Amino acid sequence: GQNIDQPTEMTATEGAIVQINCTYQTSGFNGLFWYQQHAGEAPTFLSYNVLDGLEEKGRFSSFLSRSKGYSYLLLKELQMKDSASYLCAVRDSNYQLIWGAGTKLIIKP
Amino acid sequence: ETGVTQTPRHLVMGMTNKKSLKCEQHLGHNAMYWYKQSAKKPLELMFVYNFKEQTENNSVPSRFSPECPNSSHLFLHLHTLQPEDSALYLCASSQEGPAGGPETQYFGPGTRLLVL
């Protein structure tokens, strides 16, 4: 079966760096997405990786290793507003999105 | 502002009621989706419409009935729901990409549904 694994919850301190990991086993691969979802709000698109390596976008970076079935989202200079759930999703060979259950990130002052 | 709106934002209904959820996208996309989001579970894809044609129905019970009158509007008609159907229902839209598959999905804020 197809599976996406990410930690259920993480805690970090304001101003610090946190890495949220995502491992996947899917039927084929056509890209990996990260979304941010604040409580009670819509998931919003953060990043997309289809080739191996690091994609940097301001304080957020996303890394992909297709051979290892692994990605991470790196958040730098954490702010209180970064408290949210972070969803990892992989697009399989049929262009269907397979979703992880999300990682709830708690930022403490 | 994501360009995808959903109404109502909150809904409480009894098991014998009939209600409808509405989604509208202002992004010019040609595909729309209904998802169910339950606490601590992955997003569950329910229905997909491409160019107003339903292309996906992931074994969803018949008490959920989608309708897509045009590429900008999507409805989810609800009847005789069960308490386990209580969840956040999210609508999303996307544009078909150059490779033929859907590109990035953009989500609405969701309807929080409680079935009593």
Side-chain angles (χ1 to χ4, degrees), chain B residues 50-69:
Chain B
N50 278 314
F51 295 102
K52 302 186 298 178
E53 298 296 322
Q54 187 180 124
T55 59
E56 196 78 30
N57 176 342
N58 282 351
S59 303
V60 180
S62 59
R63 57 186 184 269
F64 294 91
S65 174
E67 178 189 359
C68 188

Side-chain angles (χ1 to χ4, degrees), chain A residues 13-85:
Chain A
T13 305
E14 190 177 15
I17 298 173
V18 71
Q19 177 175 310
I20 302 174
N21 295 325
C22 171
T23 58
Y24 62 89
Q25 293 174 312
T26 57
S27 302
F29 178 85
N30 279 300
L32 184 144
F33 296 82
W34 283 98
Y35 281 80
Q36 179 191 61
Q37 186 178 23
H38 286 101
E41 298 184 13
T44 55
F45 170 73
L46 284 179
S47 68
Y48 171 69
N49 295 71
V50 67
L51 299 176
D52 290 351
L54 188 68
E55 295 278 344
E56 296 186 75
K57 193 184 293 185
R59 294 188 299 114
F60 292 8
S61 303
S62 57
F63 172 83
L64 174 67
S65 169
R66 288 172 295 171
S67 63
K68 295 181 179 179
Y70 168 70
S71 173
Y72 66 74
L73 181 69
L74 190 71
L75 292 74
K76 302 177 184 177
E77 301 169 17
L78 286 170
Q79 302 175 10
M80 297 304 293
K81 67 179 182 179
D82 297 329
S83 292
S85 287

Side-chain angles (χ1 to χ4, degrees), chain A residues 8 33 35 37 40-45 48 87 91 94-97 99-102, chain B residues 2 9 35 37 40-43 45 56 88 90 99 101-105 107-109:
Chain A
T8 304
F33 296 82
Y35 281 80
Q37 186 178 23
E41 298 184 13
T44 55
F45 170 73
Y48 171 69
L87 311 179
R91 193 161 57 189
N94 294 319
Y95 282 86
Q96 296 295 319
L97 272 182
W99 293 86
Chain B
T2 64
R9 293 293 309 276
Y35 284 94
Q37 187 176 36
K40 299 185 179 180
K41 289 186 177 179
L43 285 174
L45 179 65
E56 196 78 30
L88 181 67
L90 290 164
E103 295 298 306
T104 303
Q105 293 183 18
F107 287 83

Side-chain angles (χ1 to χ4, degrees), chain A residues 6-11 20 83-86 101-106:
Chain A
Q6 48 181 135
T8 304
E9 188 174 297
M10 299 182 70
T11 302
I20 302 174
S83 292
S85 287
Y86 291 85
T103 298
K104 183 178 180 181
L105 178 63
I106 299 168

